């Protein structure tokens, strides 16, 4: 029987988050007593550094449980300092918005910049939520496809060709979720030159800024020229850098009018994040030696896991994996497995591959379809070395056995 609930068209056209769906399916199987190795969710497995937890806990105990105007001002001041120190960007605190995760900052910005029918350009494979956030704002995603041949990075000419009179915004994400690719400063400058010439806006999602392995130096797009500072909004947050995903502290910095509009939007949607979580974030930016040491220790472990997972993936029959240089994901190409059968189930797509891996090997992966790829799956290595070995042993048995 047809449902009587008449939902708005807006939400009916949105796909649920595939990464959260995979995690839920894996957890449901675990609840049934099955031993599942989860490579699905993009969440650091490390504890939040102790000094950050202590600051949040004592803020809560001392009554920091109200609306956060005072606490918010302190955190914004510290974010302004961080942007100057680390990103060569000068902003006033009024040019910063603190949101419930980087996700909300991005959502706010789509809502205040994108009108019905506006085109928003982004590279595929892309992070799942960009596409739906663009659609929720009534915008039209314009996808630039990339492959291993360019290390999943777009060329400036590709962007130039895609720009039309309807283009409003470009979304840049480096290091990238899901591919782990990292643009060099030269590559960012070349893309920024196209943005500057066209006068379109850009969101630079820098949430994995501190998770780069190897020699590439991080560059914030907005720092390239004064004109770009008028066009680019920088988005970042504490989730990935400080392993604070559940605290929901993200932020954006950019031109006065854009941030003012985002603040107005957020004031009606959610108001600011929890005051005591903002206290934890303030501590993360204020106590630099402790935070930098904690981030360096996490990065070191991610790097070891990255190398291990990447090497093991390339030993699987039908699988090839480009070396990821940032974030905490491997994004192997599994098209060499297409056509093979596993216990009567034929694999012809990433979704098939993930179903077989979960049901027959007890390994949870995210299908590439969620990121705009018909040839890849995503594995997060934000999990222990033991679990990485166990999961890869299982995949090896399934594919090579
Ligand atoms: C590319 C990218 N941007 C933004 C986010 C948002 O993170 P949060 O809302 O936890 O700050 C994520 C989280 O997975 C991400 O991968």
């Amino acid at each position: 029987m047809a449902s009587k609930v008449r939902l708005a068209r807006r939400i009916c056209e949105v796909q649920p988050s595939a990464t959260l769906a995979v995690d839920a399916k894996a957890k449901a199987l675990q609840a049934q007593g099955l031993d599942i190795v989860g490579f699905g969710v993009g969440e650091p497995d490390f504890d939040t550094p102790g000094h950050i937890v202590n600051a949040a806990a004592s803020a809560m105990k001392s009554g920091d449980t109200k609306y956060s105007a005072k606490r918010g001002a302190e955190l914004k001041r510290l974010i302004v300092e961080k942007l100057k120190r680390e990103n060569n960007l000068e902003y006033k605190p009024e040019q910063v918005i603190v949101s419930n995760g980087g996700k909300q900052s991005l959502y706010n910005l789509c809502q205040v910049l994108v009108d019905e029918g506006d085109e928003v350009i982004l590279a595929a494979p892309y992070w799942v939520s960009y596409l739906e956030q663009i659609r929720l704002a009534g915008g039209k995603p314009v996808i630039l496809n990339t492959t291993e041949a360019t290390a999943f990075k777009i060329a400036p000419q590709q962007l130039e060709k895609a720009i039309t009179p309807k283009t409003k915004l470009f979304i840049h994400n480096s290091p990238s979720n899901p591919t782990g690719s990292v643009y060099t400063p030269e590559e960012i400058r070349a893309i920024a030159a196209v943005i500057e010439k066209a006068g379109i806006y850009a969101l630079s999602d820098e949430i994995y800024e501190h998770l780069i392995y190897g020699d590439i130096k991080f560059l914030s797009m907005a720092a390239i020229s004064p004109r770009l500072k008028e066009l680019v909004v920088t988005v970042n947050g504490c989730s990935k850098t400080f392993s604070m995903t559940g605290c929901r502290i993200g932020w954006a910095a950019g031109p006065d009018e854009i941030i003012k509009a985002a603040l107005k939007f957020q004031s009606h949607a959610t108001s600011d994040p929890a005051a005591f979580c903002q206290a934890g974030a303030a501590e993360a930016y204020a106590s630099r030696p402790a935070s930098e040491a904690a981030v360096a220790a996490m990065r070191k472990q991610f790097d070891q896991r990255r190398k291990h997972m990447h090497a093991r993936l390339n030993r699987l029959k039908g699988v090839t994996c480009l070396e990821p240089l940032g974030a905490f994901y491997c994004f192997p190409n599994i098209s060499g497995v297409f056509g093979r059968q596993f216990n009567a189930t034929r694999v012809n797509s990433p979704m098939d591959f993930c179903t077989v891996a979960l049901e027959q090997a007890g390994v949870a992966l995210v299908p590439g379809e969620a990121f705009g790829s018909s040839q890849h799956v995503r594995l997060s290595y934000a999990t222990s070395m033991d679990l990485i070995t166990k999961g890869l042993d299982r995949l090896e048995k399934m594919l090579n056995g």
Side-chain angles (χ1 to χ4, degrees), residues 156-216:
Q157 298 81 346
Q158 231 178 326
L159 174 60
E160 197 156 24
K161 262 192 164 150
I163 293 174
T164 74
K166 287 190 165 172
T167 307
K168 186 72 178 282
L169 185 66
F170 169 67
I171 299 183
H172 170 72
N173 174 221
S174 172
S176 152
N177 174 8
T179 65
S181 65
V182 182
Y183 286 72
T184 65
E186 296 69 38
E187 289 166 340
I188 294 178
R189 282 180 209 283
I191 287 167
V194 177
I195 289 164
E196 189 164 348
K197 190 170 146 213
I200 59 171
Y201 291 112
L203 300 184
S204 181
D205 182 346
E206 306 186 354
I207 200 119
Y208 295 100
E209 169 189 15
H210 286 289
L211 297 177
I212 295 182
Y213 317 99
D215 302 331
I216 299 180

Side-chain angles (χ1 to χ4, degrees), residues 19 41-43 99-106 126-130 133 172-178 205-208 235-240 244-251 327-329 378:
T19 43
V41 78
E43 172 167 70
S99 309
N100 293 275
K103 198 178 257 189
Q104 191 189 18
S105 279
L106 289 162
Y126 42 73
W127 177 51
V128 277
S129 294
Y130 296 141
Q133 293 196 354
H172 170 72
N173 174 221
S174 172
S176 152
N177 174 8
D205 182 346
E206 306 186 354
I207 200 119
Y208 295 100
V235 178
N236 206 324
C238 297
S239 289
K240 317 287 175 172
M244 286 171 67
T245 39
C247 293
R248 311 307 302 130
I249 302 291
W251 48 265
F328 39 61
Y329 309 99
R378 191 194 77 175

Side-chain angles (χ1 to χ4, degrees), residues 38-301:
F39 292 137
V41 78
E43 172 167 70
D45 57 320
F46 302 111
D47 288 340
T48 305
H51 64 292
I52 298 175
V53 174
N54 290 341
S58 63
M60 192 181 195
K61 277 189 194 141
S62 63
D64 221 343
T65 52
K66 306 283 169 65
Y67 293 134
S68 65
K70 195 158 151 250
R71 177 63 73 189
E74 185 205 4
L75 178 55
K76 283 184 189 175
R77 181 182 61 74
L78 287 159
I79 291 169
V80 164
E81 279 179 23
K82 174 257 183 277
L83 283 164
K84 187 158 179 359
R85 184 174 69 238
E86 296 182 1
N87 306 89
N88 196 24
L89 277 169
E90 280 195 45
Y91 286 107
K92 298 175 289 203
E94 308 85 82
Q95 294 174 300
V96 174
I97 177 168
V98 176
S99 309
N100 293 275
K103 198 178 257 189
Q104 191 189 18
S105 279
L106 289 162
Y107 184 77
N108 291 335
L109 292 162
C110 284
Q111 289 292 323
V112 305
L113 287 173
V114 179
D115 262 325
E116 200 71 33
D118 282 349
E119 293 176 0
V120 181
I121 303 176
L122 73 165
Y126 42 73
W127 177 51
V128 277
S129 294
Y130 296 141
L131 204 71
E132 304 305 346
Q133 293 196 354
I134 295 166
R135 288 187 181 138
L136 280 164
K140 180 174 169 247
V142 175
I143 311 288
L144 306 181
N145 286 310
T146 69
T147 65
E148 285 89 346
T150 59
F152 297 115
K153 293 186 269 190
I154 60 158
Q157 298 81 346
Q158 231 178 326
L159 174 60
E160 197 156 24
K161 262 192 164 150
I163 293 174
T164 74
K166 287 190 165 172
T167 307
K168 186 72 178 282
L169 185 66
F170 169 67
I171 299 183
H172 170 72
N173 174 221
S174 172
S176 152
N177 174 8
T179 65
S181 65
V182 182
Y183 286 72
T184 65
E186 296 69 38
E187 289 166 340
I188 294 178
R189 282 180 209 283
I191 287 167
V194 177
I195 289 164
E196 189 164 348
K197 190 170 146 213
I200 59 171
Y201 291 112
L203 300 184
S204 181
D205 182 346
E206 306 186 354
I207 200 119
Y208 295 100
E209 169 189 15
H210 286 289
L211 297 177
I212 295 182
Y213 317 99
D215 302 331
I216 299 180
K217 264 187 90 76
F218 185 81
L219 174 68
S220 284
M221 190 181 273
I224 293 173
S225 73
R227 176 66 181 139
L228 280 160
K229 203 166 157 236
E230 292 169 5
L231 295 171
V232 179
V233 184
T234 302
V235 178
N236 206 324
C238 297
S239 289
K240 317 287 175 172
T241 306
F242 304 115
S243 194
M244 286 171 67
T245 39
C247 293
R248 311 307 302 130
I249 302 291
W251 48 265
D256 292 272
E257 277 185 69
I258 297 178
I259 297 301
K260 214 166 143 189
L263 284 164
K264 182 163 69 172
F265 183 83
Q266 181 169 297
S267 75
H268 292 299
T270 60
S271 299
D272 294 339
F276 50 91
C277 290
Q278 291 193 57
E283 174 69 14
Y285 290 119
S287 287
R288 280 171 51 209
S291 298
E292 283 166 14
V295 173
M298 291 191 257
R299 185 171 46 236
K300 191 169 166 209
Q301 288 211 46

